[in-house]
Amino acid sequence: MTVNATADPLLHRRAGPGPGVDQGTRSALLSGTHHDPHAVLGAHPAPGGVTVRCLLPYALDVAVLAGDTSWGLPDTGDGLFEGELPSVTAHDYRLRVTTAESVFEVEDPYRFLPTLGEVDLHLIGEGRHEELWTALGAHVMEHQGVRGTRFAVWAPNARGVRMVGDFNCWNGTSTPMRSLGSSGVWELFVPGIGEGELYKFEIIGPDGSPRQHADPMARRSEKPPATASIVDVSHHTWGDEEWLEWRAAHPAHASPFSVYELHLPSWRPGLTYRQLAEQLPAYVSDLGFTHVEFLPVAEHPFGGSWGYQVTGFYAPTARLGSPDDFKHLIDALHQAGIGVLMDWVPAHFPRDDWALAEFDGRPLYEHEDPARAAHPDWGTLEFDYGRKEVRNFLVANALYWCQEFHIDGLRVDAVASMLYLDYSREDGQWTPNRFGGRENLDAVDFLQEMNATLYRQVPGVVTIAEESTAWDGVTRATHHVGPCGFGGLGFGLKWNMGWMHDSLDYMSHEPVHRKHHHNEMTFSMVYAYSENYVLPISHDEVVHGKRSLVSKMPGDWWQQRANQRAYLGFMWAHPGKQLLFMGQEFAQGAEWSEAHGLEWHLIEEGSAGREDHLGVQRLIRDLNRHYTDLPALWERDSDPAGFRWVIADGADDNVLAFLRHSADGGPLLAICNFSPVVREGVRLGVPRTASGMWREVVNTDAKRYGGSGVASGARLTQQPTACHGLPASLEVCLPPLSTLWLMPKGRTE
């Protein structure tokens, strides 16, 4: 605060000269390389009383305020002020600073004890601090009776670290941090600094050169392209207790799990987190999805990366609002009964020199071997999973999102690139592991630790792997060793990339050619129970020339929509969970672009062809409603006894049929006709039912969906004729390019 010197009631005296500091200490303070500035600056006992020393290069005059007396400190040059006082204590004084612009009073940061205790430092050193975000970063707190912010950062190779921000005009000379023993942690409590302050760490590397970095643990960042970290305090009060209780009692693999994947900035461009909270829950609830999955929301410098090149692992992107605004969105979704998944990117990070790259002047978060550090595909850097502190940074980060933001699950991006040392590398570009293999043993350990920690700490959480190879045991428990000698990775679910590629390839062919690709629709059942699967039609499949889902389909516009509807009916009936990327739920014809968002005008009043798009949207709504209501479609997703082929060899007719069974044996019959002709009188084997009657649950060719309206049969009465190895049968009319779901009326025998 500014002081009016004319009304100053203090008694003014001049402090005696202090003992001074040697040239080496002076140089270390001025260059920011002193590891313990608190041992030099602040108040220290002296033979004649107390010596007070401060480093304020912008000051013209400095006085110590103690009791009713101010003691002017002699200027010893280079911004150092030092004097010997007879009575002031090290715990009860302030500084009055005079600059060319003002006079103000401040607390001396160098009179405070460390704010981090031995337990925190021990856990950090062991790489086992599961709540790392509570120890490192910026934390507003009261310390020794004074309000301020504790800053702490891990930088073991640094020669020195200084705080810079608006509070010191981005000149860190006056605010060097202290090194806390051998932990590699640097700490400083800055009195008077609070919520909303901008800051960075100025790190002096081994070569003596300073570089300003954003805080790796920052919980809030400036809106890009600005890169400073922001001191943040959460004021959000959660209202989702009922949801969290429900989640803990309903494991994802044995519950309905239908996911709407979206990129928040381009779902409806221009909306903030809070504005999204007003629109997104209602939209998703109306469509019947059980979960949303956000493309990465952690702070990233380049919007065109869709969030997959992260610089702020602990900060939701400021593009859409504050961290509390993001919590408000999640809370609103939970209160609407919708789970929230988030894409998480521990595989790599960008090379921006203000972020994690060579953070303390040497490779720290990345591997010290340049060949191991450089990601060959994305021009980024790979994490060093073998370094315990780096592994701790990532494991704690996963826990942070789930505990602090109530995220219900993490979909882990690019797992395959982590697991293999030779990923996208040629011979001679990689070094085998200690057993001579290609597996990245450090990454395996990290993923196992991350999954085990999350499932232990967060009731009802789910982790999902985007893993594109046949790695054994992705969703096996970490303590169960498989035939390859590795314990399971411990994920709850895995994206079924094989099903996605095979089924989309089949659907892209003209129906006349599909009989030559029939196995692409049946092969997934060979391995369907090797993992707990999600069937993803994700953002990756509708960009970069791959076309939108409806545009992948052959034929004219009517046939394209019919193909998409039939495919969606097949997808929702197939064992596994479902994921659909935004825009595909209303058959958007254009590829997704983060630059302009979705084509909402297609379903707006007055739009030509609106009914064509609404028809597909109605189908999605009905598929989700029936899916959630029918345990046969999800209760035994991981049990082979829950599935039975009825027709797997109908290649010439482009027909598939299979049964799904609930835990009590109740069946659902799904029939797909992927040809554009009506097939009359198709006989299908079914279990015998008490009533002898079956009903049509879904017909993707219904007129309300934009189809031709061919019915599967006015009455579906089972006949005693055995067929397909089952004791009874139905004669069904199959509409063109359609999927039917049929269920018995009454109990199954």
Side-chain angles (χ1 to χ4, degrees):
M1 65 179 180
T2 302
V3 176
N4 184 342
T6 60
D8 191 349
L10 294 176
L11 177 63
H12 298 283
R13 295 183 176 178
R14 196 69 179 166
V21 295
D22 60 67
Q23 188 57 44
T25 299
R26 179 181 289 263
S27 296
L29 285 173
L30 294 175
S31 63
T33 57
H34 200 293
H35 277 224
D36 189 11
H38 292 69
V40 183
L41 303 177
H44 302 276
V50 173
T51 295
V52 177
R53 186 180 296 114
C54 55
L55 178 59
L56 298 169
Y58 52 83
L60 300 178
D61 184 70
V62 177
V64 174
L65 308 183
D68 59 359
T69 305
S70 73
W71 301 84
L73 297 181
D75 183 349
T76 64
D78 301 317
L80 276 168
F81 294 83
E82 174 187 323
E84 188 171 310
L85 286 64
S87 60
V88 68
T89 71
H91 305 290
D92 187 20
Y93 71 90
R94 291 169 60 83
L95 299 176
R96 173 184 285 175
V97 181
T98 302
T99 70
E101 292 81 24
S102 64
V103 178
F104 55 90
E105 293 180 12
V106 295
E107 296 281 356
D108 185 355
Y110 298 94
R111 75 173 183 86
F112 292 91
L113 297 171
T115 56
L116 283 174
E118 290 301 319
V119 173
D120 281 319
L121 296 177
H122 173 76
L123 291 173
I124 291 170
E126 290 290 311
R128 296 290 180 182
H129 202 309
E130 293 182 351
E131 296 185 348
L132 188 65
W133 67 91
T134 65
L136 301 182
H139 293 272
V140 176
M141 63 194 328
E142 185 171 301
H143 183 48
Q144 295 176 211
V146 176
R147 192 77 172 167
T149 297
R150 187 268 311 289
F151 297 96
V153 64
W154 177 63
N157 299 307
R159 291 182 60 189
V161 183
R162 300 190 284 204
M163 289 305 309
V164 294
D166 284 345
F167 53 86
N168 62 9
C169 300
W170 298 91
N171 183 334
T173 306
S174 63
T175 46
M177 303 179 74
R178 64 177 145 206
S179 175
L180 298 179
S182 61
S183 65
V185 174
W186 300 75
E187 179 263 1
L188 182 66
F189 176 73
V190 183
I193 298 301
E195 181 179 2
E197 289 280 355
L198 302 181
Y199 72 97
K200 282 187 178 182
F201 296 112
E202 184 174 73
I203 296 178
I204 292 85
D207 64 355
S209 61
R211 193 166 70 185
Q212 293 183 3
H213 287 265
D215 182 0
M217 306 293 297
R219 290 170 293 162
R220 186 176 181 184
S221 299
E222 279 191 293
K223 183 177 180 180
T227 60
S229 302
I230 303 176
V231 176
D232 186 61
V233 177
S234 179
H235 303 284
H236 181 77
T237 301
W238 289 96
D240 61 351
E241 296 83 3
E242 184 177 342
W243 165 263
L244 295 181
E245 290 177 8
W246 183 94
R247 183 189 75 181
H250 295 81
H253 70 278
S255 303
F257 197 85
S258 175
V259 183
Y260 183 63
E261 185 192 33
L262 69 153
H263 177 249
L264 284 173
S266 65
W267 185 69
R268 287 191 182 273
L271 296 188
T272 65
Y273 291 129
R274 289 188 177 270
Q275 290 168 333
L276 284 162
E278 296 172 1
Q279 299 186 30
L280 184 61
Y283 183 77
V284 175
S285 293
D286 177 63
L287 291 180
F289 287 98
T290 66
H291 290 73
V292 293
E293 180 177 321
F294 300 150
L295 270 62
V297 298
E299 194 60 87
H300 50 284
F302 175 50
S305 76
W306 312 331
Y308 287 97
Q309 295 195 5
V310 179
T311 49
F313 280 80
Y314 285 78
T317 180
R319 292 170 175 85
L320 307 181
S322 71
D324 271 3
D325 294 338
F326 184 50
K327 289 178 181 179
H328 176 78
L329 170 59
I330 296 167
D331 210 347
L333 287 161
H334 282 174
Q335 292 183 49
I338 300 164
V340 180
L341 312 174
M342 186 183 85
D343 280 12
W344 186 55
V345 192
H348 64 125
F349 58 92
R351 295 175 177 268
D352 301 71
D353 61 6
W354 51 267
L356 295 183
E358 294 193 350
F359 182 76
D360 59 3
R362 296 193 72 254
L364 186 65
Y365 290 91
E366 67 270 40
H367 203 283
E368 63 181 359
D369 179 354
R372 287 280 300 273
H375 197 292
D377 289 345
W378 303 316
T380 51
L381 295 168
E382 298 183 12
F383 282 100
D384 181 2
Y385 307 108
R387 186 159 194 163
K388 62 183 183 297
E389 298 94 343
V390 173
R391 198 162 59 240
N392 190 177
F393 172 81
L394 292 171
V395 171
N397 185 242
L399 199 57
Y400 168 78
W401 289 107
C402 296
Q403 289 194 339
E404 295 292 320
F405 288 88
H406 293 197
I407 293 290
D408 302 295
L410 300 177
R411 176 270 198 184
V412 183
D413 182 62
V415 171
S417 76
M418 302 164 64
L419 289 174
Y420 297 99
L421 295 168
D422 63 345
Y423 184 85
S424 286
R425 293 176 171 90
E426 303 295 333
D427 290 344
Q429 295 180 332
W430 63 281
T431 302
N433 63 36
R434 63 181 181 273
F435 302 114
R438 56 196 286 255
E439 300 86 2
N440 187 338
L441 304 180
D442 294 333
V444 172
D445 288 345
F446 156 65
L447 291 170
Q448 290 175 329
E449 181 182 347
M450 180 274 297
N451 281 312
T453 301
L454 274 184
Y455 280 100
R456 171 171 48 83
Q457 292 276 39
V458 187
V461 76
V462 63
T463 58
I464 307 164
E466 185 210 18
E467 202 284 306
S468 55
T469 73
W471 183 279
D472 178 60
V474 172
T475 59
R476 190 170 60 235
T478 56
H479 60 279
H480 288 165
V481 178
C484 295
F486 293 104
L489 295 182
F491 284 94
L493 298 167
K494 173 183 173 176
W495 274 18
N496 194 335
M497 314 290 279
W499 172 88
M500 177 189 68
H501 289 300
D502 289 348
S503 61
L504 288 178
D505 183 70
Y506 174 88
M507 294 302 300
S508 69
H509 292 286
E510 292 285 349
V512 69
H513 300 302
R514 285 175 176 168
K515 65 181 179 180
H516 304 296
H517 301 271
H518 191 76
N519 68 308
E520 293 179 350
M521 295 296 267
T522 60
F523 181 66
S524 59
M525 290 312 303
V526 173
Y527 61 87
Y529 300 102
S530 61
E531 303 280 4
N532 301 325
Y533 282 116
V534 175
L535 311 179
I537 303 299
S538 73
H539 63 282
D540 278 331
E541 302 313 307
V542 296
V543 291
H544 299 327
K546 294 181 181 179
R547 297 173 294 172
S548 68
L549 183 57
V550 72
S551 298
K552 295 176 189 288
M553 305 298 168
D556 59 23
W557 177 231
W558 189 94
Q559 290 175 320
Q560 284 182 308
R561 288 181 291 116
N563 272 301
Q564 177 174 351
R565 294 194 305 269
Y567 179 70
L568 291 170
F570 164 73
M571 174 181 174
W572 255 251
H574 191 286
K577 313 306 182 183
Q578 295 80 39
L579 178 142
L580 190 68
F581 186 60
M582 65 181 194
Q584 314 317 300
E585 77 274 14
F586 58 83
Q588 174 175 306
E591 284 189 338
W592 167 61
S593 166
E594 82 283 352
H596 60 70
L598 302 184
E599 297 186 317
W600 293 107
H601 64 275
L602 296 174
I603 55 174
E604 291 175 353
E605 290 283 353
S607 171
R610 178 173 183 252
E611 278 299 311
D612 293 348
H613 298 280
L614 288 179
V616 175
Q617 191 181 60
R618 291 187 192 108
L619 174 64
I620 289 291
R621 186 180 295 114
D622 288 351
L623 289 176
N624 277 327
R625 177 170 55 85
H626 291 306
Y627 166 74
T628 303
D629 291 343
L630 301 175
L633 292 175
W634 48 264
E635 201 168 37
R636 301 172 81 178
D637 264 337
S638 56
D639 180 1
F643 177 90
R644 189 188 195 283
W645 278 116
V646 176
I647 299 177
D649 57 356
D652 288 342
D653 296 331
N654 298 346
V655 171
L656 295 168
F658 52 88
L659 288 162
R660 298 291 307 278
H661 293 279
S662 61
D664 64 3
L668 180 143
L669 176 63
I671 316 118
C672 303
N673 176 20
F674 290 117
S675 61
V677 298
V678 178
R679 299 198 181 279
E680 302 273 4
V682 177
R683 184 171 293 277
L684 297 159
V686 293
R688 211 170 6 241
T689 66
S691 69
M693 300 296 295
W694 288 64
R695 63 187 177 91
E696 182 182 277
V697 178
V698 168
N699 179 348
T700 66
D701 187 53
K703 286 189 175 181
R704 68 186 304 267
Y705 304 141
S708 60
V710 174
S712 57
R715 298 181 66 201
L716 293 167
T717 305
Q718 72 185 28
Q719 300 172 11
T721 306
C723 186
H724 299 123
L726 291 159
S729 58
L730 299 172
E731 275 197 15
V732 179
C733 174
L734 302 184
L737 296 174
S738 68
T739 292
L740 303 176
W741 293 1
L742 308 179
M743 287 191 69
K745 296 181 178 179
R747 296 183 59 188
T748 303
E749 296 180 2

